[in-house]
Amino acid sequence: MTPVGIGGSSSKFRQLKEKLEKEGLFDPRHKKPLPFFPLRIGLATSPTGAAIRDVLRVLRNRNPLVEVLVRPTVVQGNKAPADMSAALKELDSVEDVDVIVFGRGGGSYEDLFVFNDEGLARVIFELEKPVVSAVGHEIDITIGDLVADRRAATPTDAAQIAVPLLEDIQAVLSDRALRFHRSARRRVTDTQNRLNMLKRALALAGPVNTLRTLQQRTDLALTRLGGAGRLLLISRRDRLDSLRERLNALSPSKVLERGFSVVKFRGKVLRSANSVREGDELDITLASGSLKAETKRTMEEESD
């Protein structure tokens, strides 16, 4: 027996679902997040169906700032899978499109079976932009719904999922602005406090304070040096007096005062009697005054 009609389609659906599920096309890890503040929506659907009117109406009410780029496509018949695939690729190639919505309004099981096409499912999986499916009614689930990043029960729900309310966006932005302002003010306060600490530290380590500290150290060193210098001078002076006394004791004048005299011959100190002859004139220096004498006789030093 070979199933036909809805029975055959249902069997093909289950087989394709199991196949793609094994390949990971339904894996949540591959689902792309929707942007918080989309500015341009790409819409692939029939230009004459009720779905496009519902989507445009909801988008306009939720956020009139959002632009919608519509790529009309066939949503029923044999040409629908290829045309829908081409439409999704074109919207994905538009740089400023933030989210892509595809689908159609309700219909029979056969009408919606176009979204169970394997080729279309693989195109949806390969899209770089996040995709929201909006096929039929809530009870209708297609392969396209399972592959899409988000599944909406109806085209109206798809518009609500893809675009947040403008009031919600404004509230979030206001909250973020307030938190940013508080954070910036806190950072400015912390920076100012740190700057004040650095100023105080700089004042303590600045040139004026450094010079004052060096001056104090210099004064203390001079005081200590002055005391040490005086002690050194006293010690050196005492030593000099001792040396002076010793030199005075050994000076010729002191020797002469003890009864000795200095005899010179021809300006030189006479040290030996053999250096003169009879009749030579001698100069004799005494402790007080001097004499001139004539040699009468010389006597050699007697040996022991």
Side-chain angles (χ1 to χ4, degrees):
M1 296 176 59
T2 302
V4 296
I6 296 179
S9 299
S10 177
S11 176
K12 292 180 180 180
F13 174 83
R14 288 194 301 272
Q15 293 175 4
L16 179 60
K17 180 175 179 295
E18 292 176 359
K19 175 184 178 180
L20 298 182
E21 187 173 13
K22 290 180 180 180
E23 294 183 19
L25 270 68
F26 307 153
D27 195 329
R29 292 178 297 178
H30 298 308
K31 305 297 184 183
K32 295 180 286 294
L34 301 182
F36 167 71
F37 190 6
L39 295 177
R40 199 173 194 191
I41 305 298
L43 179 59
T45 188
S46 171
T48 59
I52 188 172
R53 293 193 297 270
D54 292 340
V55 170
L56 295 178
R57 174 179 54 80
V58 173
L59 292 179
R60 183 169 56 252
N61 293 336
R62 293 180 68 82
N63 188 350
L65 301 178
V66 174
E67 296 182 3
V68 181
L69 177 62
V70 179
R71 193 322 191 152
T73 179
V74 179
V75 295
Q76 186 173 334
N78 295 333
K79 297 182 179 180
D83 193 28
M84 178 64 71
S85 298
L88 293 178
K89 290 180 180 180
E90 291 177 16
L91 293 175
D92 193 53
S93 65
V94 179
E95 184 176 356
D96 58 352
V97 167
D98 299 312
V99 182
I100 298 174
V101 178
F102 74 91
R104 58 159 290 165
S108 65
Y109 185 84
E110 291 80 1
D111 293 338
L112 302 182
F113 202 76
V114 62
F115 296 98
N116 291 326
D117 182 78
E118 181 178 355
L120 177 59
R122 297 189 182 279
V123 169
I124 296 172
F125 183 76
E126 295 295 333
L127 295 178
E128 295 183 1
K129 306 291 177 62
V131 185
V132 178
S133 65
V135 180
H137 301 293
E138 185 173 359
I139 60 174
D140 301 320
I141 298 179
T142 66
I143 297 296
D145 294 323
L146 299 175
V147 180
D149 298 306
R150 291 287 297 274
R151 184 242 174 185
T154 64
T156 301
D157 290 338
Q160 294 175 347
I161 292 174
V163 178
L165 283 170
L166 181 59
E167 292 81 0
D168 295 340
I169 295 175
Q170 291 172 337
V172 172
L173 293 178
S174 298
D175 179 67
R176 291 183 180 180
L178 180 60
R179 286 190 292 174
F180 175 78
H181 176 72
R182 290 175 178 173
S183 176
R185 185 171 55 187
R186 183 166 54 252
R187 293 190 64 178
V188 169
T189 302
D190 294 342
T191 303
Q192 186 63 46
N193 293 336
R194 186 175 181 184
L195 181 61
N196 292 334
M197 292 177 60
L198 291 175
K199 286 182 178 179
R200 289 193 292 269
L202 182 61
L204 294 175
V208 175
N209 191 69
T210 302
L211 290 176
R212 186 180 298 110
T213 302
L214 292 176
Q215 183 63 47
Q216 293 173 353
R217 293 179 179 177
T218 303
D219 294 342
L220 179 60
L222 289 175
T223 301
R224 294 177 177 176
L225 182 61
R230 284 193 297 271
L231 294 176
L232 181 62
L233 288 175
I234 293 173
S235 175
R236 293 295 175 85
R237 186 178 59 189
D238 293 343
R239 185 178 181 186
L240 183 61
D241 292 342
S242 176
L243 291 175
R244 185 182 295 111
E245 291 177 359
R246 293 173 62 184
L247 288 175
N248 288 336
L250 297 176
S251 67
S253 60
K254 293 294 183 180
V255 175
L256 294 177
E257 288 178 359
R258 294 200 297 270
F260 293 92
S261 62
V262 178
V263 181
K264 294 182 179 181
F265 174 63
R266 296 178 181 177
K268 297 182 179 180
V269 175
L270 184 63
R271 300 180 183 279
S272 173
N274 295 330
S275 300
V276 296
R277 298 177 181 179
E278 294 181 4
D280 288 341
E281 188 176 273
L282 305 174
D283 295 320
I284 301 173
T285 301
L286 305 172
S288 176
S290 61
L291 299 173
K292 283 189 177 293
E294 182 178 338
T295 304
K296 295 296 185 179
R297 183 164 56 99
T298 61
M299 292 178 291
E300 295 182 0
E301 183 178 358
E302 297 178 358
S303 58
D304 294 337

